[in-house]
Amino acid sequence: MRGQREQPVQQRQPDRGPGVDNGAHHTHDYVGNQDNDAFSSDEDLANADTSCRNQGDKSTYYWPVLRLQDGTEEFDAGDLGGGADGNVGRILKPAEAEITFVGNKRSDVVAMPRFLRIITGDAKSFTNGLKNANSSWSCTGFEDRQVTDKYPLCPEGSQVVRTANFQSCWDGRNTDSANHRDHMAFVREDGSCPDGFQAVPQLQIRLVYDIPAPVVENGQVRNPYAVDSFPEQLHKPVTDHNDFINVMDEDLMDQVVDCINSGEDCR
């Protein structure tokens, strides 16, 4: 059951989440909404342009960049959140980006409310523990083999794949919560939502990267790649995370829901 699917143009944007003004974080790639900065309000997001092919989708999709740690100085080499916090090297742009919405195995889905915010994964999983970690890494041609705590070294001709499956159970009331998590939940093992929650379209993001085949010298990978992180998180793969703010117009969201609930593949 698939809903809206996009292959958006990547655009690197400032290093704070929309509406977050409490200091620099790490650099993110953004897709969709073009008014992403620390002072963006819901109204700003609603009135912005979008890089999505379907202009009814002004949602913002974003994730920390990957870097090849080869000594390259990027635009943020001296900035907090960038080189000043240990995020150095050449920023790698995804060769492919797939954004897909899928259904629930146990029930129909209902529409997401406008401005619903979802974060999946935890940027501080290395020190916080793995409770909210939700990273997944693999290689093209080997995507049946997923790893969470290591960066895959893909063979020649294979690309690195980075995937995120978002929480898809909503509390039916709130578009956000104090910790940005409690208003959403993952499905249970049987595919159903926890009591008091209802199923919404599940966002899945798949990013594919062309990364040079690794060179190993004396047991060490030369010029490894890694995700941007806070300094104390040491660029660990478990700290990968993705964010989403729903700014689809209501008609488009209704189309997504209808498509998913009918079992169609809509693009």
Side-chain angles (χ1 to χ4, degrees):
M1 295 183 290
R2 295 184 178 270
Q4 184 190 8
R5 186 175 180 179
E6 309 255 4
Q7 292 185 348
V9 175
Q10 304 296 313
Q11 181 168 5
R12 197 159 298 114
Q13 293 284 349
D15 57 1
R16 300 168 188 156
V20 178
D21 61 357
N22 60 345
H25 289 224
H26 31 262
T27 299
H28 291 82
D29 270 337
Y30 283 75
V31 167
N33 200 285
Q34 299 295 289
D35 189 1
N36 297 289
D37 64 36
F39 307 103
S40 297
S41 65
D42 288 351
E43 183 178 1
D44 293 330
L45 295 172
N47 292 327
D49 292 329
T50 179
S51 65
C52 293
R53 287 198 299 257
N54 191 320
Q55 294 295 291
D57 187 5
K58 296 185 178 183
S59 302
T60 181
Y61 309 83
Y62 58 108
W63 48 83
V65 298
L66 287 188
R67 296 186 197 246
L68 190 66
Q69 297 175 338
D70 61 356
T72 299
E73 288 198 359
E74 285 281 6
F75 70 95
D76 60 353
D79 296 342
L80 292 174
D85 282 328
N87 293 311
V88 296
R90 175 160 60 93
I91 292 175
L92 299 168
K93 180 179 179 179
E96 298 177 26
E98 278 188 342
I99 292 176
T100 306
F101 289 91
V102 302
N104 180 279
K105 295 178 180 179
R106 296 290 301 272
S107 70
D108 284 349
V109 299
V110 301
M112 291 179 178
R114 208 162 191 226
F115 306 117
L116 177 69
R117 286 161 162 79
I118 313 176
I119 180 171
T120 192
D122 182 0
K124 299 182 179 180
S125 288
F126 183 57
T127 55
N128 283 350
L130 302 181
K131 176 182 177 182
N132 293 311
N134 188 32
S135 58
S136 185
W137 304 81
S138 59
C139 301
T140 56
F142 305 92
E143 290 184 59
D144 57 332
R145 307 176 194 174
Q146 298 286 324
V147 294
T148 60
D149 60 348
K150 298 178 179 65
Y151 294 113
L153 301 179
C154 299
E156 191 75 39
S158 179
Q159 298 166 295
V160 172
V161 182
R162 180 185 181 190
T163 56
N165 297 309
F166 281 66
Q167 300 93 312
S168 58
C169 298
W170 171 51
D171 70 5
R173 301 181 305 277
N174 301 296
T175 57
D176 202 358
S177 48
N179 63 1
H180 310 299
R181 297 183 186 278
D182 288 347
H183 63 300
M184 299 297 300
F186 286 103
V187 296
R188 295 184 287 205
E189 288 188 9
D190 65 358
S192 64
C193 284
D195 293 344
F197 286 74
Q198 51 193 311
V200 295
Q202 184 188 39
L203 171 60
Q204 300 179 340
I205 296 180
R206 177 179 179 269
L207 305 173
V208 179
Y209 294 83
D210 290 318
I211 297 177
V215 175
V216 180
E217 295 180 348
N218 299 320
Q220 297 293 319
V221 178
R222 191 175 73 186
N223 299 339
Y225 69 92
V227 66
D228 263 22
S229 73
F230 298 107
E232 69 278 6
Q233 303 305 313
L234 304 179
H235 309 286
K236 296 293 185 180
V238 293
T239 67
D240 196 16
H241 54 284
N242 286 251
D243 295 77
F244 166 67
I245 303 174
N246 173 42
V247 199
M248 289 189 203
D249 64 43
E250 291 183 1
D251 287 343
L252 178 58
M253 177 55 68
D254 288 343
Q255 291 175 36
V256 172
V257 168
D258 289 345
C259 172
I260 288 173
N261 289 337
S262 67
E264 297 179 24
D265 187 348
C266 306
R267 307 187 182 212

